[in-house]
Every structure is written in structure tokens, then in C-alpha cells.
Amino acid sequence: MLYKRLVDLFGPYSEWTKKSSPGRERDDDFWEFCEKFAAAVGAKSGKAVQHQIRFALPETERGSTWGRHAQTAILNKAAALEAGFIEDKHLPDLVAVGRLKSNL
């Protein structure tokens, strides 16, 4: 629902002129949307919603270390792709690193 609303209100990410907000004099509307969306879904704040959206955004050249948030990042990218917010080209080249668990 989040990414579908973003597309409906602010267009797909490929049309955004800033890295983490739509730009085009729509940033105030975006911040307001995040606050209202947070209230509607019980999130702590609009900043929490913005944090969630950042998981779907393209990686920097340095990449990302999601750590314990890998599942959240993957689910956000999948939802954003499904809603048309991002495209295949926005997905990172992933390398999975597993942790060995000792039975000792």
C-alpha cells in the first residue's frame, strides 16, 4: 500500500529529482504524506515511514550492510518493485553472506 500511494501521489522513483524525496517542489507534501501514513498504520513517526522507504531506494556505490534488517530491506524492495515505484535497474547486485552456527 505504501509504495502504491507513493506512485499515485509522487510518481515512480525514476521521476524523483532528489535521492530520498520527490523534489519538484513536492517535498513538503511528501513529508506530510509520511506523517499521515505513519498515523494511519501506527508507525512512530513520519521519519519511521521515510526510513522504511529508504530500504526500497537504490543502493549507493558503497552498497549497504543491512545486518539484521536484511529481511525488511528485501521485502520493501519487492513491494516497491511490485507497485511500480522502482524498476529492475534499481535493484542491487546482492551477495549473501551467511553466518555459521556452532552446535558446540
Side-chain angles (χ1 to χ4, degrees), residues 23-40:
R24 305 180 323 264
E25 299 182 17
R26 298 293 318 274
D27 288 348
D28 288 341
D29 295 335
F30 174 71
W31 309 135
E32 184 179 344
F33 163 79
C34 290
E35 289 295 331
K36 287 181 179 179
F37 192 87

Side-chain angles (χ1 to χ4, degrees), residues 11-84:
Y13 183 73
S14 61
E15 294 176 4
W16 287 24
T17 59
K18 294 184 175 178
K19 288 184 180 181
S20 57
S21 66
R24 305 180 323 264
E25 299 182 17
R26 298 293 318 274
D27 288 348
D28 288 341
D29 295 335
F30 174 71
W31 309 135
E32 184 179 344
F33 163 79
C34 290
E35 289 295 331
K36 287 181 179 179
F37 192 87
V41 299
K44 290 183 179 181
S45 68
K47 289 189 181 220
V49 173
Q50 292 168 35
H51 183 73
Q52 197 78 15
I53 294 167
R54 278 195 293 277
F55 278 121
L57 300 181
E59 306 304 310
T60 65
E61 289 181 16
R62 296 181 292 139
S64 293
T65 303
W66 297 324
R68 295 181 302 173
H69 302 288
Q71 183 177 6
T72 301
I74 291 166
L75 291 173
N76 272 276
K77 288 187 182 297
L81 186 65
E82 174 95 8

